[in-house]
Amino acid sequence: GNDVYLTIDSDWQKSIYQILEQRVAGIVLSKLTPNKSFDYEAEKDASKITIPIYDVYNALIANSVIDINKFSDADASDTEKNLYVKFQQKQQQVFDTISNRLTGDNPPAYKDEDTQMQEYLTYICDDLLTNTLKVLKSDSIDTADETYKAWKNDQSISLKDYLNYAASQNWIDISKFSDKNTYLDSTEVYQELSAYISDYLSTDQDFSKMLYKYLLLDDEITGKQLCTVLYEQGVLSTDDEDYQNFKAGNLSAMDLMLHKISSLEITPAQLALDPCTASCVVTSAKTGEVLALVSYPSYDNNRISDSTYFAQLNADQSLPLRNNATQTLKAPGSTFKPITAI
């Protein structure tokens, strides 16, 4: 390999990565508003899309910038303990409601639930039972079935009605949650399934993060508390003027976030909001040699064999393992026109 030379310029790689990160951070900052929410589906003009500051606060938990597992540790801070108490209260309340929806008499149709409960039920059916646990067998479900369409399209039945029907139609893989060797009728299958759902949700990190999201939106926990935890968990350094001003009450949680995103102490990759990705390819016009091929966000290649680190990369919502320079579909630009002409 002594006579093999890369065309990549390592200095360009590093510099362009920094430029991309700064550019994406600048876009995020320009779109930040002090609002709680924004209807992304309703807005078709990309130039009018904004990023509510509550999305930033939620992202700190949703993308594991803050480790919620530490909230229950014996040496947790007072702020972390307070957040955990709020979480436990919320969890019990939501579990009681979900239990009622799964086992109670005449639960309401999906379309009659509030937005929060709809998100919980969708998560249970689509994310958990279908995609993660494979309990609902996608290849067995008859999408032309009237009951299926009543759940999926019309939203005119409850999750309980849908899962009960799924059990009667053999759309449920019993082996995923029951090790009983005896025959189970559809009612018994549903009873075991509902118990399994409750047990699973109690330790499901993604569902816990969803609960924190609504605690935040309901102002039961605050952005200030989450920013305090950033310092207590060592995500941010206390050795700066921002910390002193924040601690003294002279800097709001939103202003602190603005400062930290601007300084890249909190990066777009950590927040995993839209936008959080970018790429750049530089080639020689004379030879076609690739001088730089950069994807943001990326990862530390020296740590990729560390199983814990690799698991973190796989769970990261900014998808750092995806090469945005080579794997993103884009419309061809003007440089492709000579190909068409030829």
Side-chain angles (χ1 to χ4, degrees), residues 198-222:
S198 298
D199 288 341
Y200 191 93
L201 289 179
S202 65
T203 58
D204 183 13
Q205 285 287 293
D206 290 334
F207 192 75
S208 295
K209 290 176 180 180
M210 200 181 303
L211 298 181
Y212 277 108
K213 168 187 169 181
Y214 281 104
L215 282 170
L216 184 62
L217 289 174
D218 293 338
D219 293 316
E220 295 185 52
I221 63 176
T222 66

PDB file of all heavy atoms in Angstrom, residues 198-222:
ATOM      1  N   SER A 198     -49.072  -3.946  29.234  1.00  0.00           N
ATOM      2  CA  SER A 198     -48.884  -3.170  30.463  1.00  0.00           C
ATOM      3  C   SER A 198     -47.505  -3.412  31.065  1.00  0.00           C
ATOM      4  O   SER A 198     -46.815  -2.478  31.487  1.00  0.00           O
ATOM      5  CB  SER A 198     -49.978  -3.515  31.476  1.00  0.00           C
ATOM      6  OG  SER A 198     -51.252  -3.184  30.971  1.00  0.00           O
ATOM      7  N   ASP A 199     -47.079  -4.671  31.117  1.00  0.00           N
ATOM      8  CA  ASP A 199     -45.764  -5.003  31.674  1.00  0.00           C
ATOM      9  C   ASP A 199     -44.646  -4.394  30.835  1.00  0.00           C
ATOM     10  O   ASP A 199     -43.669  -3.851  31.375  1.00  0.00           O
ATOM     11  CB  ASP A 199     -45.581  -6.524  31.743  1.00  0.00           C
ATOM     12  CG  ASP A 199     -46.442  -7.152  32.829  1.00  0.00           C
ATOM     13  OD1 ASP A 199     -46.879  -6.415  33.726  1.00  0.00           O
ATOM     14  OD2 ASP A 199     -46.677  -8.376  32.778  1.00  0.00           O
ATOM     15  N   TYR A 200     -44.787  -4.480  29.526  1.00  0.00           N
ATOM     16  CA  TYR A 200     -43.734  -3.987  28.637  1.00  0.00           C
ATOM     17  C   TYR A 200     -43.592  -2.472  28.741  1.00  0.00           C
ATOM     18  O   TYR A 200     -42.480  -1.941  28.810  1.00  0.00           O
ATOM     19  CB  TYR A 200     -44.024  -4.386  27.196  1.00  0.00           C
ATOM     20  CG  TYR A 200     -42.851  -4.141  26.261  1.00  0.00           C
ATOM     21  CD1 TYR A 200     -41.934  -5.148  26.003  1.00  0.00           C
ATOM     22  CD2 TYR A 200     -42.658  -2.904  25.657  1.00  0.00           C
ATOM     23  CE1 TYR A 200     -40.846  -4.937  25.171  1.00  0.00           C
ATOM     24  CE2 TYR A 200     -41.564  -2.668  24.819  1.00  0.00           C
ATOM     25  CZ  TYR A 200     -40.671  -3.687  24.578  1.00  0.00           C
ATOM     26  OH  TYR A 200     -39.588  -3.466  23.765  1.00  0.00           O
ATOM     27  N   LEU A 201     -44.709  -1.759  28.768  1.00  0.00           N
ATOM     28  CA  LEU A 201     -44.666  -0.293  28.804  1.00  0.00           C
ATOM     29  C   LEU A 201     -43.995   0.229  30.070  1.00  0.00           C
ATOM     30  O   LEU A 201     -43.401   1.309  30.062  1.00  0.00           O
ATOM     31  CB  LEU A 201     -46.078   0.278  28.701  1.00  0.00           C
ATOM     32  CG  LEU A 201     -46.787   0.149  27.349  1.00  0.00           C
ATOM     33  CD1 LEU A 201     -48.185   0.741  27.428  1.00  0.00           C
ATOM     34  CD2 LEU A 201     -45.988   0.823  26.240  1.00  0.00           C
ATOM     35  N   SER A 202     -44.078  -0.521  31.152  1.00  0.00           N
ATOM     36  CA  SER A 202     -43.522  -0.061  32.427  1.00  0.00           C
ATOM     37  C   SER A 202     -42.010   0.089  32.376  1.00  0.00           C
ATOM     38  O   SER A 202     -41.419   0.827  33.177  1.00  0.00           O
ATOM     39  CB  SER A 202     -43.913  -1.018  33.556  1.00  0.00           C
ATOM     40  OG  SER A 202     -43.330  -2.295  33.355  1.00  0.00           O
ATOM     41  N   THR A 203     -41.343  -0.600  31.433  1.00  0.00           N
ATOM     42  CA  THR A 203     -39.879  -0.499  31.313  1.00  0.00           C
ATOM     43  C   THR A 203     -39.439   0.010  29.934  1.00  0.00           C
ATOM     44  O   THR A 203     -38.264  -0.037  29.612  1.00  0.00           O
ATOM     45  CB  THR A 203     -39.229  -1.875  31.567  1.00  0.00           C
ATOM     46  OG1 THR A 203     -39.763  -2.834  30.631  1.00  0.00           O
ATOM     47  CG2 THR A 203     -39.500  -2.345  32.990  1.00  0.00           C
ATOM     48  N   ASP A 204     -40.394   0.482  29.150  1.00  0.00           N
ATOM     49  CA  ASP A 204     -40.103   0.920  27.784  1.00  0.00           C
ATOM     50  C   ASP A 204     -39.603   2.365  27.790  1.00  0.00           C
ATOM     51  O   ASP A 204     -40.351   3.290  28.110  1.00  0.00           O
ATOM     52  CB  ASP A 204     -41.364   0.787  26.926  1.00  0.00           C
ATOM     53  CG  ASP A 204     -41.116   1.161  25.478  1.00  0.00           C
ATOM     54  OD1 ASP A 204     -39.946   1.290  25.078  1.00  0.00           O
ATOM     55  OD2 ASP A 204     -42.095   1.338  24.731  1.00  0.00           O
ATOM     56  N   GLN A 205     -38.328   2.553  27.416  1.00  0.00           N
ATOM     57  CA  GLN A 205     -37.714   3.877  27.427  1.00  0.00           C
ATOM     58  C   GLN A 205     -38.416   4.854  26.478  1.00  0.00           C
ATOM     59  O   GLN A 205     -38.616   6.023  26.816  1.00  0.00           O
ATOM     60  CB  GLN A 205     -36.238   3.770  27.050  1.00  0.00           C
ATOM     61  CG  GLN A 205     -35.354   3.209  28.141  1.00  0.00           C
ATOM     62  CD  GLN A 205     -35.140   4.191  29.268  1.00  0.00           C
ATOM     63  OE1 GLN A 205     -34.517   5.231  29.102  1.00  0.00           O
ATOM     64  NE2 GLN A 205     -35.658   3.869  30.439  1.00  0.00           N
ATOM     65  N   ASP A 206     -38.778   4.387  25.302  1.00  0.00           N
ATOM     66  CA  ASP A 206     -39.414   5.275  24.328  1.00  0.00           C
ATOM     67  C   ASP A 206     -40.764   5.769  24.842  1.00  0.00           C
ATOM     68  O   ASP A 206     -41.120   6.933  24.639  1.00  0.00           O
ATOM     69  CB  ASP A 206     -39.603   4.554  22.985  1.00  0.00           C
ATOM     70  CG  ASP A 206     -38.281   4.319  22.277  1.00  0.00           C
ATOM     71  OD1 ASP A 206     -37.338   5.089  22.524  1.00  0.00           O
ATOM     72  OD2 ASP A 206     -38.183   3.362  21.481  1.00  0.00           O
ATOM     73  N   PHE A 207     -41.497   4.898  25.509  1.00  0.00           N
ATOM     74  CA  PHE A 207     -42.785   5.316  26.054  1.00  0.00           C
ATOM     75  C   PHE A 207     -42.578   6.285  27.217  1.00  0.00           C
ATOM     76  O   PHE A 207     -43.325   7.261  27.365  1.00  0.00           O
ATOM     77  CB  PHE A 207     -43.599   4.109  26.508  1.00  0.00           C
ATOM     78  CG  PHE A 207     -45.032   4.430  26.811  1.00  0.00           C
ATOM     79  CD1 PHE A 207     -45.931   4.646  25.776  1.00  0.00           C
ATOM     80  CD2 PHE A 207     -45.487   4.525  28.117  1.00  0.00           C
ATOM     81  CE1 PHE A 207     -47.260   4.957  26.036  1.00  0.00           C
ATOM     82  CE2 PHE A 207     -46.808   4.824  28.386  1.00  0.00           C
ATOM     83  CZ  PHE A 207     -47.702   5.048  27.349  1.00  0.00           C
ATOM     84  N   SER A 208     -41.558   6.040  28.010  1.00  0.00           N
ATOM     85  CA  SER A 208     -41.245   6.950  29.121  1.00  0.00           C
ATOM     86  C   SER A 208     -40.912   8.339  28.598  1.00  0.00           C
ATOM     87  O   SER A 208     -41.341   9.352  29.161  1.00  0.00           O
ATOM     88  CB  SER A 208     -40.072   6.404  29.939  1.00  0.00           C
ATOM     89  OG  SER A 208     -40.412   5.192  30.573  1.00  0.00           O
ATOM     90  N   LYS A 209     -40.159   8.382  27.501  1.00  0.00           N
ATOM     91  CA  LYS A 209     -39.815   9.675  26.908  1.00  0.00           C
ATOM     92  C   LYS A 209     -41.060  10.407  26.414  1.00  0.00           C
ATOM     93  O   LYS A 209     -41.136  11.639  26.467  1.00  0.00           O
ATOM     94  CB  LYS A 209     -38.825   9.470  25.757  1.00  0.00           C
ATOM     95  CG  LYS A 209     -37.442   9.040  26.222  1.00  0.00           C
ATOM     96  CD  LYS A 209     -36.517   8.755  25.043  1.00  0.00           C
ATOM     97  CE  LYS A 209     -35.134   8.337  25.520  1.00  0.00           C
ATOM     98  NZ  LYS A 209     -34.215   8.050  24.390  1.00  0.00           N
ATOM     99  N   MET A 210     -42.031   9.658  25.937  1.00  0.00           N
ATOM    100  CA  MET A 210     -43.288  10.252  25.496  1.00  0.00           C
ATOM    101  C   MET A 210     -44.023  10.888  26.680  1.00  0.00           C
ATOM    102  O   MET A 210     -44.630  11.960  26.563  1.00  0.00           O
ATOM    103  CB  MET A 210     -44.151   9.185  24.831  1.00  0.00           C
ATOM    104  CG  MET A 210     -45.236   9.726  23.917  1.00  0.00           C
ATOM    105  SD  MET A 210     -46.240   8.402  23.194  1.00  0.00           S
ATOM    106  CE  MET A 210     -44.972   7.430  22.367  1.00  0.00           C
ATOM    107  N   LEU A 211     -43.977  10.233  27.833  1.00  0.00           N
ATOM    108  CA  LEU A 211     -44.610  10.773  29.030  1.00  0.00           C
ATOM    109  C   LEU A 211     -43.936  12.075  29.456  1.00  0.00           C
ATOM    110  O   LEU A 211     -44.619  13.031  29.841  1.00  0.00           O
ATOM    111  CB  LEU A 211     -44.553   9.756  30.170  1.00  0.00           C
ATOM    112  CG  LEU A 211     -45.285   8.428  29.950  1.00  0.00           C
ATOM    113  CD1 LEU A 211     -45.154   7.543  31.181  1.00  0.00           C
ATOM    114  CD2 LEU A 211     -46.750   8.656  29.620  1.00  0.00           C
ATOM    115  N   TYR A 212     -42.609  12.126  29.373  1.00  0.00           N
ATOM    116  CA  TYR A 212     -41.899  13.359  29.707  1.00  0.00           C
ATOM    117  C   TYR A 212     -42.271  14.482  28.743  1.00  0.00           C
ATOM    118  O   TYR A 212     -42.361  15.649  29.126  1.00  0.00           O
ATOM    119  CB  TYR A 212     -40.387  13.124  29.679  1.00  0.00           C
ATOM    120  CG  TYR A 212     -39.844  12.530  30.956  1.00  0.00           C
ATOM    121  CD1 TYR A 212     -39.404  11.210  31.016  1.00  0.00           C
ATOM    122  CD2 TYR A 212     -39.760  13.298  32.121  1.00  0.00           C
ATOM    123  CE1 TYR A 212     -38.911  10.660  32.188  1.00  0.00           C
ATOM    124  CE2 TYR A 212     -39.263  12.762  33.296  1.00  0.00           C
ATOM    125  CZ  TYR A 212     -38.840  11.438  33.326  1.00  0.00           C
ATOM    126  OH  TYR A 212     -38.360  10.916  34.494  1.00  0.00           O
ATOM    127  N   LYS A 213     -42.501  14.134  27.497  1.00  0.00           N
ATOM    128  CA  LYS A 213     -42.912  15.132  26.499  1.00  0.00           C
ATOM    129  C   LYS A 213     -44.202  15.822  26.929  1.00  0.00           C
ATOM    130  O   LYS A 213     -44.304  17.064  26.881  1.00  0.00           O
ATOM    131  CB  LYS A 213     -43.106  14.447  25.141  1.00  0.00           C
ATOM    132  CG  LYS A 213     -43.804  15.301  24.102  1.00  0.00           C
ATOM    133  CD  LYS A 213     -44.122  14.497  22.854  1.00  0.00           C
ATOM    134  CE  LYS A 213     -45.050  15.240  21.909  1.00  0.00           C
ATOM    135  NZ  LYS A 213     -45.379  14.420  20.701  1.00  0.00           N
ATOM    136  N   TYR A 214     -45.168  15.040  27.372  1.00  0.00           N
ATOM    137  CA  TYR A 214     -46.450  15.640  27.765  1.00  0.00           C
ATOM    138  C   TYR A 214     -46.371  16.304  29.135  1.00  0.00           C
ATOM    139  O   TYR A 214     -47.115  17.259  29.408  1.00  0.00           O
ATOM    140  CB  TYR A 214     -47.560  14.602  27.692  1.00  0.00           C
ATOM    141  CG  TYR A 214     -48.015  14.392  26.265  1.00  0.00           C
ATOM    142  CD1 TYR A 214     -47.638  13.257  25.544  1.00  0.00           C
ATOM    143  CD2 TYR A 214     -48.766  15.367  25.613  1.00  0.00           C
ATOM    144  CE1 TYR A 214     -48.029  13.088  24.216  1.00  0.00           C
ATOM    145  CE2 TYR A 214     -49.151  15.200  24.286  1.00  0.00           C
ATOM    146  CZ  TYR A 214     -48.787  14.069  23.597  1.00  0.00           C
ATOM    147  OH  TYR A 214     -49.163  13.921  22.279  1.00  0.00           O
ATOM    148  N   LEU A 215     -45.490  15.848  30.006  1.00  0.00           N
ATOM    149  CA  LEU A 215     -45.238  16.571  31.253  1.00  0.00           C
ATOM    150  C   LEU A 215     -44.721  17.972  30.946  1.00  0.00           C
ATOM    151  O   LEU A 215     -45.104  18.959  31.598  1.00  0.00           O
ATOM    152  CB  LEU A 215     -44.220  15.815  32.113  1.00  0.00           C
ATOM    153  CG  LEU A 215     -44.714  14.608  32.902  1.00  0.00           C
ATOM    154  CD1 LEU A 215     -43.539  13.843  33.493  1.00  0.00           C
ATOM    155  CD2 LEU A 215     -45.678  15.041  34.008  1.00  0.00           C
ATOM    156  N   LEU A 216     -43.881  18.044  29.934  1.00  0.00           N
ATOM    157  CA  LEU A 216     -43.308  19.327  29.518  1.00  0.00           C
ATOM    158  C   LEU A 216     -44.381  20.224  28.894  1.00  0.00           C
ATOM    159  O   LEU A 216     -44.506  21.406  29.240  1.00  0.00           O
ATOM    160  CB  LEU A 216     -42.170  19.079  28.533  1.00  0.00           C
ATOM    161  CG  LEU A 216     -41.373  20.280  28.030  1.00  0.00           C
ATOM    162  CD1 LEU A 216     -40.670  20.990  29.175  1.00  0.00           C
ATOM    163  CD2 LEU A 216     -40.361  19.832  26.980  1.00  0.00           C
ATOM    164  N   LEU A 217     -45.165  19.679  27.979  1.00  0.00           N
ATOM    165  CA  LEU A 217     -46.200  20.459  27.297  1.00  0.00           C
ATOM    166  C   LEU A 217     -47.292  20.923  28.268  1.00  0.00           C
ATOM    167  O   LEU A 217     -47.910  21.967  28.056  1.00  0.00           O
ATOM    168  CB  LEU A 217     -46.817  19.640  26.166  1.00  0.00           C
ATOM    169  CG  LEU A 217     -45.927  19.392  24.949  1.00  0.00           C
ATOM    170  CD1 LEU A 217     -46.603  18.439  23.965  1.00  0.00           C
ATOM    171  CD2 LEU A 217     -45.583  20.712  24.250  1.00  0.00           C
ATOM    172  N   ASP A 218     -47.511  20.145  29.317  1.00  0.00           N
ATOM    173  CA  ASP A 218     -48.521  20.513  30.317  1.00  0.00           C
ATOM    174  C   ASP A 218     -47.933  21.385  31.429  1.00  0.00           C
ATOM    175  O   ASP A 218     -48.624  21.671  32.424  1.00  0.00           O
ATOM    176  CB  ASP A 218     -49.148  19.253  30.928  1.00  0.00           C
ATOM    177  CG  ASP A 218     -49.979  18.470  29.921  1.00  0.00           C
ATOM    178  OD1 ASP A 218     -50.411  19.075  28.925  1.00  0.00           O
ATOM    179  OD2 ASP A 218     -50.180  17.247  30.118  1.00  0.00           O
ATOM    180  N   ASP A 219     -46.665  21.770  31.273  1.00  0.00           N
ATOM    181  CA  ASP A 219     -45.977  22.653  32.233  1.00  0.00           C
ATOM    182  C   ASP A 219     -45.866  22.038  33.624  1.00  0.00           C
ATOM    183  O   ASP A 219     -45.749  22.759  34.625  1.00  0.00           O
ATOM    184  CB  ASP A 219     -46.670  24.018  32.322  1.00  0.00           C
ATOM    185  CG  ASP A 219     -46.549  24.803  31.018  1.00  0.00           C
ATOM    186  OD1 ASP A 219     -45.444  24.816  30.448  1.00  0.00           O
ATOM    187  OD2 ASP A 219     -47.553  25.393  30.577  1.00  0.00           O
ATOM    188  N   GLU A 220     -45.886  20.717  33.694  1.00  0.00           N
ATOM    189  CA  GLU A 220     -45.650  20.052  34.975  1.00  0.00           C
ATOM    190  C   GLU A 220     -44.153  19.928  35.251  1.00  0.00           C
ATOM    191  O   GLU A 220     -43.738  19.787  36.402  1.00  0.00           O
ATOM    192  CB  GLU A 220     -46.334  18.689  34.993  1.00  0.00           C
ATOM    193  CG  GLU A 220     -47.853  18.775  34.924  1.00  0.00           C
ATOM    194  CD  GLU A 220     -48.525  17.424  35.062  1.00  0.00           C
ATOM    195  OE1 GLU A 220     -48.218  16.718  36.037  1.00  0.00           O
ATOM    196  OE2 GLU A 220     -49.349  17.076  34.192  1.00  0.00           O
ATOM    197  N   ILE A 221     -43.349  19.915  34.185  1.00  0.00           N
ATOM    198  CA  ILE A 221     -41.908  20.101  34.319  1.00  0.00           C
ATOM    199  C   ILE A 221     -41.536  21.248  33.382  1.00  0.00           C
ATOM    200  O   ILE A 221     -42.294  21.589  32.474  1.00  0.00           O
ATOM    201  CB  ILE A 221     -41.100  18.824  33.972  1.00  0.00           C
ATOM    202  CG1 ILE A 221     -41.302  18.437  32.508  1.00  0.00           C
ATOM    203  CG2 ILE A 221     -41.512  17.675  34.872  1.00  0.00           C
ATOM    204  CD1 ILE A 221     -40.450  17.254  32.077  1.00  0.00           C
ATOM    205  N   THR A 222     -40.386  21.867  33.611  1.00  0.00           N
ATOM    206  CA  THR A 222     -40.050  23.090  32.877  1.00  0.00           C
ATOM    207  C   THR A 222     -38.728  22.977  32.129  1.00  0.00           C
ATOM    208  O   THR A 222     -37.888  22.125  32.439  1.00  0.00           O
ATOM    209  CB  THR A 222     -39.945  24.279  33.849  1.00  0.00           C
ATOM    210  OG1 THR A 222     -38.816  24.060  34.735  1.00  0.00           O
ATOM    211  CG2 THR A 222     -41.215  24.431  34.670  1.00  0.00           C
TER     212      THR A 222
END
